[in-house]
Amino acid sequence: MIEPTVTMPPKRVRRAPVRRPVRRPEPPRGTTVRFPVLAVVFVCAACGLVYELELVALASYLIGDSVTQASVVLSVMVFAMGVGSLLAKRLRCRAAVGFGLVEAGLALIGGCSAMVLYAAFAWLGESRYVVVAFSLAIGVLIGAEIPLLMALIQRAAGPAGAGSGSASGSASRAGGSGRTRRTGRSARSGRQAPLGERDDDAAGTVADLFAADYVGALVGGLAFPFLLLPWLGQLTGALVTGAVNVVAGGGLVLWVFRRDLTARSRALLVAVNVSVLAVLATATMLVDDFEAAARRAVYGERVRVAVQTELQEVVVTGGPEGPPDLFLDGRLRVAGEDEYRYHEALVHPAMNGPHARVLIVGGGDGMAAREVLRYPGARAVTVVELDPGVVRLARTDPALATLNAQAFRDPRVRVVHADAFHWLRGATSHVQERYDVVISDLPDPGITPSTKLYSQEFYGLVARVLTPSGRFAVHAGSVADRPRTYWTVDATLRAAGFATRPYSASGRTPGFAAGPDRADRSGGAGQGPADWGFLLAVPGARPPALGLAPDAPRLRSLGEGTLEAAARRAERDRGDELPPSTLVHPRYGG
């Protein structure tokens, strides 16, 4: 029997598997943009703080009363930052172009703020409202930066970023479904990211952004006084800061986030950034001409010397034949035509008695020292002046040196460049003898940082270096225009253990709280007739007698009858008893 042939099924041939090239997972876009974003946050924060400090410095310089101006600028700007953060919600859907426009606007407004503010000061005579307007505008734009950057980072991170937005208030939290928030994928591994992990990522992003922001603010705050002001000045420094700001912000959007831009948006940002840079560059080239024109508008056409020292702007005006006028930070400190009225009234009543050793606090112009040196009995005169630039100019400028009779070349004069408060605190260790006379030749307390030199603590230091029969003469501001300030100085002296005698002199007041805004006081740049108020103080409870020393030189404005009338004139304006001013509770207003 023939068995049928069994046909076996063919064996299945297995082909060798084809190895596909292994593709390494690309790092998510969010990790590649984080570093440039943090770098730009650092730069923009530094620029923002420079704008803020610029406004505070200019407002204090142009308007006066630095405490009030700093409070107004900082409070308005912080409020505006909150408003800017809220307004940034409307730009989240177009975060890239929104951030680019915000940085361009911030660079333009912040960079030009100093020039506009100074122009309003010079030509309009009023700059308070301009300060508030710039504080609002800059604060709104600064406040919009971080929310827009958060939206950009979350969008660049992909789905995880969208999920993490639920933890940080991004667009996905407002419009995304609950499913999206619960099932966001991890950008690092492609796996489902638990909600807590996404929250941690969002929190880390926020922490990084704010860390870069705070460190940038530190750098900007240190760069402003130590680099920008000494090297570039206020106007050029603000313009250069604006240029850095627009390059950083525009570069981030146009390069890192270019895929988030449409062609029209890209063209718009390029045009805006180039225009802002052109405006800032043009202003930088014209800043010297602008400053000269503004200075002529403030001081007149006869500006002879204008220098910026480490502490203040010093301007000398006047023709080659007439006496000079000296302005410090825009305020008239020495009126050449009648400065003798001020300095004779300040110095000579205090010289009625022993006057071998004299201490002058302030007085860097040399005029008070000139009056002291007219007494043959004055053997040693110490001038404690904070700004070396003023003393240098008083020595070298021919007109000022002639006006102060070359006082700083007299061998009896010793100049100490120091803060008078700190210098007097150590006076017990370096002063061999006590002083017969101390003269305080300082600006009004409400308009400069010298308020501490009108405090009860400072007057207590003066009492320690005076002889028992010593006299202390204080310039205390105008009796007629600022009576509260004047009588606060009187109350402070008496609280420090002095007995006082008020008196005044007529002339052109050497400074008002409004700076060149002072045009409204006299109708002529603030140089109309007014008065200077003085206080003569001695240790103890018995007020000193007003008079002149037997060896007093011939004076042009003072006499025994003049002093008696000056005392009666000041006493007529005495009001209610006022509390003294201390370091922890200053009571001088602007």
Side-chain angles (χ1 to χ4, degrees):
M1 180 176 177
I2 301 173
E3 293 185 4
T5 304
V6 178
T7 305
M8 300 296 292
K11 294 183 178 180
R12 184 175 297 176
V13 180
R14 294 183 179 180
R15 295 181 179 180
V18 179
R19 292 186 177 181
R20 296 181 180 180
V22 179
R23 294 183 179 179
R24 296 181 179 179
E26 296 181 0
R29 190 182 172 205
T31 61
T32 61
V33 304
R34 177 165 296 193
F35 177 76
V37 167
L38 294 180
V40 170
V41 169
F42 173 87
V43 173
C44 292
C47 295
L49 198 66
V50 169
Y51 302 144
E52 186 175 330
L53 295 175
E54 188 76 43
L55 286 177
V56 171
L58 270 176
S60 302
Y61 160 46
L62 302 179
I63 303 173
D65 192 359
S66 57
V67 174
T68 299
Q69 305 314 319
S71 300
V72 168
V73 171
L74 296 179
S75 58
V76 169
M77 189 168 288
V78 171
F79 163 77
M81 288 169 64
V83 175
S85 297
L86 294 175
L87 294 178
K89 290 182 178 181
R90 300 179 178 272
L91 298 175
R92 285 179 303 183
C93 57
R94 304 183 65 185
V97 67
F99 181 77
L101 293 177
V102 163
E103 290 306 307
L106 181 59
L108 180 64
I109 295 174
C112 296
S113 60
M115 289 188 71
V116 176
L117 191 58
Y118 195 50
F121 165 82
W123 282 285
L124 302 180
E126 177 60 64
S127 52
R128 292 174 178 84
Y129 302 111
V130 181
V131 170
V132 174
F134 273 108
S135 301
L136 279 171
I138 293 174
V140 167
L141 295 173
I142 291 177
E145 289 177 329
I146 296 297
L148 293 176
L149 284 173
M150 278 295 301
L152 287 173
I153 290 181
Q154 291 163 1
R155 188 172 303 170
S164 64
S166 64
S168 61
S170 67
S172 63
R173 180 168 186 172
S177 65
R179 180 174 179 273
T180 302
R181 292 194 293 271
R182 289 191 298 271
T183 61
R185 294 184 178 274
S186 170
R188 296 183 180 272
S189 61
R191 61 180 173 82
Q192 297 283 21
L195 183 60
E197 183 178 330
R198 298 196 303 271
D199 291 343
D200 292 342
D201 184 65
T205 300
V206 172
D208 290 343
L209 286 174
F210 279 103
D213 186 75
Y214 296 149
V215 175
L218 171 66
V219 173
L222 296 177
F224 178 73
F226 297 115
L227 296 177
L228 292 178
L229 278 184
W231 290 2
L232 300 177
Q234 290 180 327
L235 303 185
T236 305
L239 293 168
V240 170
T241 302
V244 172
N245 197 165
V246 72
V247 169
L252 177 71
V253 174
L254 292 172
W255 179 252
V256 178
F257 296 106
R258 59 188 180 277
R259 284 180 284 179
D260 296 330
L261 299 173
T262 64
R264 179 177 299 179
S265 298
R266 191 178 299 111
L268 173 64
L269 286 179
V270 170
V272 169
N273 281 271
V274 170
S275 299
V276 171
L277 278 175
V279 170
L280 295 175
T282 303
T284 303
M285 290 186 294
L286 299 177
V287 71
D288 290 337
D289 295 335
F290 168 82
E291 192 171 356
R295 188 175 290 119
R296 287 194 298 270
V298 175
Y299 303 110
E301 296 293 333
R302 300 191 303 167
V303 176
R304 296 180 52 252
V305 179
V307 295
Q308 180 69 46
T309 71
E310 296 180 356
L311 301 173
Q312 59 194 339
E313 182 186 50
V314 182
V315 175
V316 180
T317 66
E321 299 178 356
D325 290 343
L326 175 66
F327 293 82
L328 302 180
D329 272 352
R331 295 172 179 86
L332 181 64
R333 285 293 297 143
V334 173
E337 292 184 358
D338 60 356
E339 56 79 21
Y340 64 92
R341 297 178 180 272
Y342 169 85
H343 290 102
E344 287 184 355
L346 172 67
V347 171
H348 292 284
M351 301 294 283
N352 184 18
H355 46 252
R357 292 175 52 82
V358 179
L359 171 65
I360 301 175
V361 179
D365 50 60
M367 311 301 171
R370 175 200 66 197
E371 295 299 320
V372 171
L373 294 173
R374 297 174 68 183
Y375 289 83
R379 293 189 287 106
V381 181
T382 302
V383 178
V384 182
E385 168 62 46
L386 182 61
D387 192 351
V390 175
V391 177
R392 189 182 310 116
L393 191 63
R395 274 197 181 111
T396 58
D397 182 77
L400 284 178
T402 300
L403 195 61
N404 64 36
Q406 304 285 351
F408 290 121
R409 299 184 184 276
D410 194 295
R412 293 175 289 173
V413 176
R414 180 173 72 101
V415 180
V416 177
H417 296 301
D419 179 274
F421 194 99
H422 297 298
W423 186 83
L424 274 179
R425 288 186 70 177
T428 54
S429 61
H430 60 70
V431 173
Q432 302 300 323
E433 302 176 23
R434 293 191 175 188
Y435 292 99
D436 300 306
V437 179
V438 177
I439 297 170
S440 177
D441 184 14
L442 298 168
D444 293 0
I447 64 174
T448 68
S450 63
T451 302
K452 67 180 179 182
L453 303 183
Y454 286 87
S455 65
Q456 181 178 340
E457 291 85 349
F458 178 75
Y459 293 152
L461 295 175
V462 172
R464 291 168 54 186
V465 300
L466 269 178
T467 62
S469 61
R471 280 90 54 214
F472 182 25
V474 180
H475 165 236
S478 172
V479 184
D481 290 331
R482 306 185 67 206
R484 186 174 184 84
T485 296
Y486 178 86
W487 292 111
T488 299
V489 177
D490 177 73
T492 306
L493 281 166
R494 288 187 282 109
F498 288 96
T500 61
R501 177 75 69 184
Y503 64 104
S504 65
S506 299
R508 293 195 293 173
T509 305
F512 287 112
D517 295 355
R518 62 190 179 272
D520 58 351
R521 290 184 180 257
S522 61
Q527 300 176 19
D531 74 302
W532 296 286
F534 305 98
L535 290 160
L536 182 62
V538 295
R542 184 176 181 180
L546 277 179
L548 299 177
D551 60 340
R554 184 176 181 180
L555 305 177
R556 291 188 284 174
S557 63
L558 282 187
E560 296 294 342
T562 306
L563 283 174
E564 293 176 2
R568 290 193 300 268
R569 185 166 56 246
E571 286 287 356
R572 284 199 303 265
D573 294 322
R574 184 187 289 272
D576 297 334
E577 184 70 18
L578 296 173
S581 181
T582 64
L583 289 179
V584 296
H585 197 163
R587 300 182 183 273
Y588 301 110

